[in-house]
Amino acid sequence: MPEAACNPSHIEDLDPLALERQVCFALAVASRTVISVYRPVLEPLGLTHPQYLVMLALWGEQPLSVTDLSRLLDVDAGTLSRLLKRLEAADLIVRRRDPADERSLAVTLTSKGTSLRQQALKVPIEVVQRLGMSLDDLHAMHAQLTGVIAAAKLAAS
């Protein structure tokens, strides 16, 4: 790291618009790169990374309304609808009108979707191995990213 970056008295010497100093750039590259690590691990399951996130949510709790799933995954309804259609076509989920609220769609796993969870248990282990990082470092990064997400949501509101 350049000395100016470590020495607060030289902070004014640093270009505030330097690409490598931008948090947004580091987050975008990290996101794309980490998701690319997941791709070959998820391929044998027949899932894309966004589909995997939907399945993780449903393996945690079901049924979930489309609205709750959208909120939980922080994804818009249109994007989620396309993901759900593909998962339904793969016979991993079903969408049905919620008997308690006919306006709401309830999403549940099929038996095939439920059994896929057993195979998916290998995903986190393999991803951690591929990243070559300690669990402590990954947990600390997760906590920091969760803080960044909360701060960004607050700033955007």
Side-chain angles (χ1 to χ4, degrees):
M1 183 179 288
E3 187 175 324
C6 297
N7 187 342
S9 66
H10 294 311
I11 201 89
E12 66 277 355
D13 295 338
L14 299 175
D15 180 0
L17 298 179
L19 180 62
E20 66 275 3
R21 295 192 66 223
Q22 305 306 307
V23 172
C24 61
F25 177 67
L27 288 170
V29 172
S31 177
R32 284 193 310 269
T33 306
V34 170
I35 288 170
S36 75
V37 170
Y38 274 85
R39 198 168 291 121
V41 179
L42 294 174
E43 197 171 276
L45 303 179
L47 296 174
T48 64
H49 188 262
Q51 291 169 342
Y52 175 63
L53 297 179
V54 171
M55 295 301 289
L56 287 172
L58 292 168
W59 287 323
E61 178 184 352
Q62 63 167 335
L64 284 171
S65 72
V66 172
T67 303
D68 289 341
L69 200 48
S70 175
R71 193 173 316 124
L72 186 62
L73 296 172
D74 201 5
V75 66
D76 66 88
T79 300
L80 181 59
S81 179
R82 289 187 295 277
L83 288 169
L84 295 176
K85 283 180 185 175
R86 288 189 186 101
L87 290 169
E88 199 164 34
D91 191 34
L92 296 174
I93 65 155
V94 290
R95 294 178 291 172
R96 292 200 176 97
R97 291 281 167 208
D98 186 342
D101 181 0
E102 285 294 319
R103 299 168 297 165
S104 179
L105 278 177
V107 182
T108 57
L109 294 168
T110 62
S111 59
K112 183 178 173 184
T114 300
S115 67
L116 189 62
R117 186 181 190 281
Q118 191 61 38
Q119 284 180 263
L121 288 171
K122 301 171 191 168
V123 172
I125 297 163
E126 191 166 339
V127 167
V128 168
Q129 288 173 345
R130 287 172 180 247
L131 289 174
M133 297 174 67
S134 75
L135 281 177
D136 287 343
D137 286 346
L138 290 170
H139 288 298
M141 182 176 21
H142 182 274
Q144 286 188 315
L145 289 171
T146 300
V148 169
I149 293 165
K153 284 183 177 185
L154 188 60
S157 62

